[in-house]
């Protein structure tokens, strides 16, 4: 956000959006063999929303840094070309001017926090106070932003005691409240539940509609297609495609350069490959209409998905938990939680009477809205958190009599924020650290480090400093650390956050690899598309409790559970609902039902 001189910047009204004009921009960091940006020419119109997409490592965050002036004023390095925001040449602007004209949201919400406030209210007020805004106006603007971001109930909470998704909303609100004419927003929804993601996009769109210029890096491409005016594909630091959403997502160069497609467009591609004559569609509704035409049926009102909007968790009693599958079907229970509750010292009850059994070799996804108690629940599994009441057993042994180190050797945990886990200066040393603690022979340690690095795509990065790697890659560093230790179970907390298509495919391969080795996997994620494609059993949490537990296809069509947890179904489930094709949570099942409907073999 930057510290500015209050005397120079007292209470200015928000300026109209300014154009962002980039000409011939090439930039190389002080370390590294190749430029991070190459000859970038880009114009973002005033009052428009421009989404920057592409594979991780393409230069998206570096481009954001250049617009804000962090490059090269903070990160140094060699820069040629120009970046202008309105009438300001970024290279010549001082920090006061940059802070007033360009708001910036970092990829990691932990980076955004001031670190000197005790409440969410004060965190939002910090920047305004720094600008010398009068106290009554601060109170009014903070209250308005808290309400807009759905944070009013958290106003007196310490921002560092919130879940990752809640912190992400606080970070965004702290930027929006400053009313700069240009907003640069890097991955604002990576840790948010699906409905919160939609709400954040609505907030960003309202900022655009109010005249502010928005440059947005985002992997949630369905919402990008819905809200963006302009989409830019970066690859290798170069602009390879630039245009309106329909043109960009219909351009073969987009996927050829490693960018993903909106879920509906990916489904359409899969259907075309299976002989259904549908074009490229950016929404499930449009794809459903195209499929009706393709199978020779007129629209039928009964086909449309009339399930209720999942606007928020109900205030009354939560729905009963449907019968869970027998965990022993995948082997004897490895992890058992028996009526587990946990209350933080602040008095917040994060987990409330959770009972759960996960079988040896089973893969389970735990889903739900931010603050539902998911992370606290899985931390009880490896004794990072000790239950306030109830018990946790690993292979039948109560963890109350074991140290956290002892339990962690059987239940490996990958933190939501990789920076909570990384502390060495090379990837190799980071992955090797736990193996040294296990007193394994050097040759065995070297073999495990190499195998884990290859599984996680880090074989060429073993000598790099993990702190210099992108957030998405740092997540794989922490996963490699756990894989190398070879525990009986791996708990992954938000591994899909911020991952591009290649990263998601690598995660899917890892889950398959662990299944082949008979390892148990528990995954917390907000990516319902990933869950539908790669996980069989889903546990839904809301308000610290389990509200549903069953097969993915059953959970995603359980209106009551989905509503309680504010979940949106995957695109394939929504499409099946619109076409009246029943419970289809994967493309194979959907295509089989569609062929029967169309009378095809």
């Amino acid at each position: 956000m930057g510290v500015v001189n209050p005397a120079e910047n007292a209470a200015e009204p928000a300026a109209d959006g300014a154009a962002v004009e980039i000409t011939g921009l090439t930039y190389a960091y002080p370390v590294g063999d190749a430029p991070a940006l190459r000859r970038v020419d880009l114009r973002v119109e005033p009052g428009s929303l421009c989404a920057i997409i592409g594979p991780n490592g393409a230069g998206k965050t570096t481009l954001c840094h250049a617009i804000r002036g962090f490059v090269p004023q903070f990160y140094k390095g060699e820069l040629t070309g120009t970046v202008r925001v309105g009438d300001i040449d970024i290279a010549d602007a001082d920090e006061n001017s940059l802070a007033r004209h360009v708001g910036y949201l970092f990829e990691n919400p932990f980076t955004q926090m001031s670190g000197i406030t005790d409440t969410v209210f004060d965190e939002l007020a910090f920047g305004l106070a720094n600008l010398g805004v009068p106290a009554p106006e601060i109170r009014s603007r903070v209250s308005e932003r808290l309400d807009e971001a759905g944070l009013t109930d958290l106003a007196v909470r310490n921002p560092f005691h919130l879940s990752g998704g809640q912190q992400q909303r606080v970070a965004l609100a702290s930027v929006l409240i400053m009313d700069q004419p240009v907003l640069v927003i890097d991955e604002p929804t990576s840790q948010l539940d699906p409905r919160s993601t939609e709400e954040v996009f609505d907030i960003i769109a309202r900022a655009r509609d109010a005249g502010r210029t928005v440059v947005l890096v985002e992997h949630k491409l369905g919402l990008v297609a819905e809200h963006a005016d302009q989409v830019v594909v970066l690859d290798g630091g170069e602009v390879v495609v630039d245009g309106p959403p329909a043109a960009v997502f219909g351009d073969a160069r987009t996927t050829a350069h490693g960018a993903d497609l909106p879920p509906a467009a990916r489904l359409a591609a899969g259907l075309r490959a299976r002989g259904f004559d549908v074009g490229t569609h950016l929404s499930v509704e449009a794809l459903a209409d195209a499929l009706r035409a393709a199978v020779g049926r007129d629209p039928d009102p009964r086909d449309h998905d009339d399930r209720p909007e999942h606007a928020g968790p109900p205030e009354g009693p939560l729905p009963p938990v449907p019968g869970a599958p027998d965990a022993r079907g995948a082997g004897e229970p490895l992890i058992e939680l028996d009526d587990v509750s946990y209350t933080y010292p602040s008095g917040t009850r994060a987990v409330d009477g959770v009972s759960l059994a996960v079988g040896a070799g089973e893969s389970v996804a735990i889903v739900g809205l931010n603050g539902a108690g998911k992370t606290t629940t899985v931390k009880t599994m490896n004794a990072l958190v000790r239950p306030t009441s109830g018990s946790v057993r690993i292979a039948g042994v109560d963890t109350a009599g074991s140290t956290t180190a002892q339990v962690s050797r059987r239940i490996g945990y990958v933190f939501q924020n990789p920076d909570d886990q990384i502390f060495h200066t090379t990837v190799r040393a980071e992955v090797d650290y736990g193996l040294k603690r296990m007193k394994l022979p050097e040759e065995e340690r070297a073999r495990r480090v190499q195998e884990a690095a290859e599984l996680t795509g880090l074989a060429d990065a073993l000598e790099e400093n993990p702190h210099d790697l992108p957030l998405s890659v740092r997540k794989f560093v922490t996963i490699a650390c756990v894989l190398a230790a070879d525990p009986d179970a791996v708990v992954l907390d938000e591994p899909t956050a911020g991952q591009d298509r290649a990263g998601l495919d690598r995660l899917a391969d890892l889950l398959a690899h662990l299944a082949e080795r008979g390892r148990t996997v528990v995954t917390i994620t907000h990516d319902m598309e990933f869950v539908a494609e790669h996980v069989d059993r889903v546990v839904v949490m809301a308000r610290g409790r389990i509200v549903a537990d069953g097969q993915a296809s059953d959970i995603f069509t359980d209106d009551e559970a989905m509503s309680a947890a504010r979940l949106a179904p995957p695109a394939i489930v929504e499409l099946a609902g619109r076409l009246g094709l029943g419970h289809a949570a994967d493309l194979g099942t959907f295509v089989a039902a569609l062929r029967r409907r169309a009378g095809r073999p």
Side-chain angles (χ1 to χ4, degrees):
M1 180 157 44
V3 176
V4 297
N5 184 344
E8 296 179 6
N9 302 289
E12 296 180 357
D16 291 335
V20 175
E21 188 81 39
I22 301 173
T23 306
L25 181 64
T26 296
Y27 172 74
Y29 286 98
V31 294
D33 299 328
L37 298 173
R38 303 171 184 266
R39 303 175 299 278
V40 173
D41 293 319
L42 176 65
R43 178 178 172 82
V44 181
E45 296 296 332
S48 68
L49 196 166
C50 174
I52 311 293
I53 69 170
N56 288 335
K60 303 186 297 293
T61 293
T62 304
L63 182 60
C64 290
H65 286 170
I67 296 171
R68 175 54 177 78
F70 295 143
V71 165
Q73 296 179 358
F74 178 79
Y75 290 102
K76 307 305 178 184
E78 183 179 348
L79 181 146
T80 59
T82 61
V83 180
R84 299 186 65 86
V85 173
D87 296 330
I88 299 173
D89 188 327
I90 295 298
D92 298 331
D94 59 23
E95 179 59 24
N96 284 354
S97 181
L98 290 171
R100 292 201 314 273
H101 287 83
V102 184
Y104 194 95
L105 179 70
F106 288 91
E107 180 180 13
N108 188 342
F110 299 91
T111 306
Q112 196 83 22
M113 299 298 172
S114 68
I116 63 173
T117 62
D118 294 327
T119 69
V120 170
F121 188 99
D122 290 340
E123 185 68 27
L124 268 62
F126 175 75
L128 297 177
N130 188 42
L131 288 176
V133 175
E137 184 178 344
I138 290 178
R139 287 192 290 271
S140 175
R141 287 168 65 173
V142 169
S143 296
E144 181 180 341
R145 289 300 183 193
L146 287 170
D147 182 63
E148 180 183 54
L151 295 168
T152 301
D153 292 343
L154 303 177
V156 298
R157 295 273 301 277
N158 188 310
F160 286 100
H161 295 169
L162 303 178
S163 71
Q166 290 168 331
Q167 287 184 333
Q168 203 158 29
R169 294 175 75 113
V170 172
L172 176 60
S174 72
V175 173
L176 291 172
I177 200 169
M178 301 299 289
D179 282 343
Q180 295 102 328
V182 174
L183 299 175
V184 180
I185 303 177
D186 194 357
E187 290 284 357
T189 69
S190 60
Q191 299 182 56
L192 296 182
D193 61 72
R195 289 299 171 184
S196 294
T197 294
E198 292 184 2
E199 291 165 2
V200 164
F201 261 86
D202 287 341
I203 292 170
I204 294 171
R206 286 200 296 273
R208 181 268 315 273
D209 295 342
R212 302 168 79 177
T213 305
V214 181
V215 177
L216 170 71
V217 174
E218 182 55 72
H219 286 295
K220 307 289 178 61
L221 299 185
L223 289 166
V224 165
E226 179 182 347
H227 291 286
D229 303 296
Q230 176 184 5
V231 177
V232 174
V233 181
L234 278 188
D235 188 23
E238 299 183 56
V239 174
V240 293
V241 190
D242 180 1
V248 170
F249 291 124
D251 192 319
R253 295 175 298 170
T254 296
T255 52
H257 282 279
D260 205 354
L261 295 174
R266 289 187 66 219
L267 278 177
L271 289 165
R272 289 196 303 273
R274 287 161 174 78
F276 288 92
D277 185 16
V278 294
T280 298
H281 299 280
L282 304 186
S283 72
V284 172
E285 182 179 7
L287 179 56
D289 290 341
L291 279 171
R292 291 189 190 96
V295 299
R297 295 182 69 246
D298 293 329
D300 184 337
R302 293 173 299 177
D303 289 348
H304 285 273
D305 187 357
D306 59 358
R307 284 177 286 177
E309 281 291 321
H310 310 305
E315 294 302 322
L318 292 169
V321 182
D326 185 353
R328 290 171 295 181
E332 290 299 318
L334 175 66
I335 304 170
E336 295 175 277
L337 276 61
D338 185 8
D339 199 23
V340 166
S341 295
Y342 181 78
T343 301
Y344 282 97
S346 64
T348 300
R349 192 174 183 84
V351 181
D352 187 8
V354 167
S355 294
L356 175 67
V358 182
E362 192 173 14
S363 182
V364 178
I366 300 182
V367 303
L369 77 164
N370 297 122
K374 305 183 299 295
T375 292
T376 306
T377 296
V378 298
K379 282 184 175 180
T380 68
M381 295 178 180
N382 76 336
L384 283 170
V385 168
R386 300 286 184 172
T388 306
S389 62
S391 64
V392 178
R393 294 184 296 278
I394 305 300
V397 178
D398 196 318
T399 61
S402 304
T403 66
T404 299
Q406 290 171 330
V407 179
S408 295
R409 291 196 177 185
R410 301 203 66 176
I411 312 295
Y413 179 75
V414 179
F415 283 77
Q416 182 178 13
N417 179 10
D419 296 336
D420 288 342
Q421 205 163 340
I422 293 172
F423 58 96
H424 280 92
T425 56
T426 69
V427 173
R428 184 185 300 278
E430 192 69 46
V431 180
D432 190 40
Y433 173 75
L435 305 182
K436 284 183 177 179
R437 301 271 298 183
M438 294 167 66
K439 301 186 185 304
L440 295 177
E442 185 174 351
E443 184 176 339
E444 174 66 7
R445 295 198 334 255
R447 183 192 68 78
R448 290 197 186 195
V449 168
Q450 187 64 36
E451 179 181 289
E454 290 175 359
L455 286 169
T456 52
L458 296 169
D460 294 331
L462 283 171
E463 306 311 323
E464 294 191 37
N465 189 324
H467 300 281
D468 294 335
L469 300 174
L471 178 63
S472 59
V473 180
R474 297 201 300 277
K475 283 178 177 284
F476 279 108
V477 173
T478 56
I479 292 172
C481 294
V482 171
L483 292 179
D486 195 24
D488 297 322
V490 176
V491 179
L492 303 168
D493 196 347
E494 291 289 359
T496 59
Q499 297 294 344
D500 59 7
R501 173 47 47 188
L504 292 174
D505 290 344
R506 181 170 291 118
L507 282 170
D509 290 342
L510 284 174
L511 263 60
H513 169 79
L514 291 167
E516 289 174 2
R517 299 192 62 176
R519 300 299 185 260
T520 299
V521 183
V522 177
T523 305
I524 292 177
T525 181
H526 292 302
D527 190 335
M528 298 301 104
E529 307 296 332
F530 185 87
V531 171
E533 293 175 15
H534 303 295
V535 183
D536 292 328
R537 180 181 170 193
V538 178
V539 174
V540 184
M541 292 193 68
R543 288 156 45 188
R545 305 175 195 171
I546 292 176
V547 297
D549 182 355
Q551 297 301 305
S553 58
D554 295 328
I555 294 298
F556 289 137
T557 52
D558 183 337
D559 299 335
E560 198 170 14
M562 296 288 282
S563 179
R566 302 182 76 218
L567 294 175
I572 189 75
V573 174
E574 182 185 349
L575 185 61
R578 286 181 177 274
L579 295 174
L581 294 179
H583 294 196
D586 62 87
L587 189 58
T589 303
F590 178 86
V591 168
L594 191 61
R595 288 187 184 281
R596 289 194 297 270
R597 171 69 61 83
R600 297 186 186 181

